[in-house]
Amino acid sequence: MWYVIQTQTGGEEKLVELIEKMIPKEHYDECFCMNRECVRKMEKGYEIFLRPLFPAYIFVVTENPEKLFFELKRVPKLTKLLSDQEDTFFSVSEDEETFLKNVQNENHVVQRSLVEVDDKGTIIKANGAVGVYMNRIVRQRLRKRYVCVEQEFMGEKRKIYLGIKLEEEDV
């Protein structure tokens, strides 16, 4: 199952490296931070860069969260395997896991989706993550090259930003 570890914003990648270095692989299958492709306009086109999809959260796949919890205490960074007061660890629900698997690639990156817009600026066709979740778009910013979809995650509705690229772009 997928579990969520909370850390300090900006330290997601470092924490993944520390966990991979300090915790024996027998306690988890995979540990990762999900990133999304973003763009910024430069003088000579667009520059692609990565940002965390969920700042301050990393994911770990394990069948034994209790053992992982005790191993995490050895990691010298502020970490917290999300749980309630009765030490029931929060796993990502099946629907949430399906969403996360649908939007990311094998490197845990949400790539920008190619979109087609009509003359009014409305997205009429899209591939990738935006194409799968087009019916959940609550905001679109074509000029800034992203859309915002609403998705249930960790028990509450969240706005998740997905990058887009228009057909005429060469990036």
Side-chain angles (χ1 to χ4, degrees):
M1 296 187 80
W2 288 28
Y3 292 87
V4 179
I5 298 175
Q6 189 174 22
T7 188
Q8 293 175 332
T9 302
E12 300 89 358
E13 294 289 344
K14 289 178 186 171
L15 180 59
V16 168
E17 288 174 17
L18 271 174
I19 288 172
E20 289 174 344
K21 186 176 167 182
M22 296 185 71
I23 297 179
K25 193 74 168 123
E26 66 201 43
H27 296 293
Y28 66 97
D29 297 324
E30 188 176 17
C31 181
F32 58 92
C33 166
M34 286 184 66
N35 290 303
R36 65 184 173 100
E37 283 185 347
C38 300
V39 295
R40 66 178 135 236
K41 189 163 176 125
M42 306 298 279
E43 288 180 16
K44 297 178 181 176
Y46 291 94
E47 174 189 34
I48 298 173
F49 62 98
L50 296 179
R51 276 211 173 121
L53 184 64
F54 299 105
Y57 294 105
I58 66 169
F59 298 87
V60 64
V61 181
T62 184
E63 294 302 318
N64 197 335
E66 291 83 10
K67 282 187 181 177
L68 180 65
F69 170 76
F70 289 111
E71 290 292 325
L72 281 173
K73 291 181 181 266
R74 298 181 329 148
V75 179
K77 290 277 182 187
L78 179 63
T79 64
K80 181 178 165 188
L81 188 58
L82 295 185
S83 65
D84 61 16
Q85 267 85 28
E86 290 104 39
D87 286 335
T88 302
F89 299 105
F90 291 143
S91 63
V92 174
S93 74
E94 278 187 48
D95 289 344
E96 294 166 347
E97 187 176 331
T98 299
F99 172 80
L100 296 173
K101 286 179 177 177
N102 282 340
V103 299
Q104 69 178 323
N105 65 15
E106 64 278 352
N107 297 320
H108 307 294
V109 173
V110 181
Q111 294 179 303
R112 295 184 311 140
S113 299
L114 181 64
V115 298
E116 185 180 322
V117 296
D118 63 14
D119 55 352
K120 295 177 185 166
T122 304
I123 296 174
I124 54 174
K125 188 174 154 188
N127 70 1
V130 174
V132 174
Y133 296 101
M134 211 156 94
N135 61 336
R136 295 188 189 174
I137 295 175
V138 293
R139 184 175 187 202
Q140 68 180 42
R141 298 286 307 266
L142 298 179
R143 194 172 64 77
K144 298 280 187 177
R145 302 299 192 259
Y146 73 82
V147 298
C148 178
V149 298
E150 205 168 63
Q151 169 66 32
E152 185 85 17
F153 183 70
M154 299 306 293
E156 61 184 62
K157 283 203 181 272
R158 297 185 189 250
K159 290 182 172 34
I160 299 170
Y161 295 91
L162 304 174
I164 60 170
K165 56 184 169 183
L166 302 176
E167 288 185 299
E168 69 268 7
E169 288 179 24
D170 57 358
V171 173

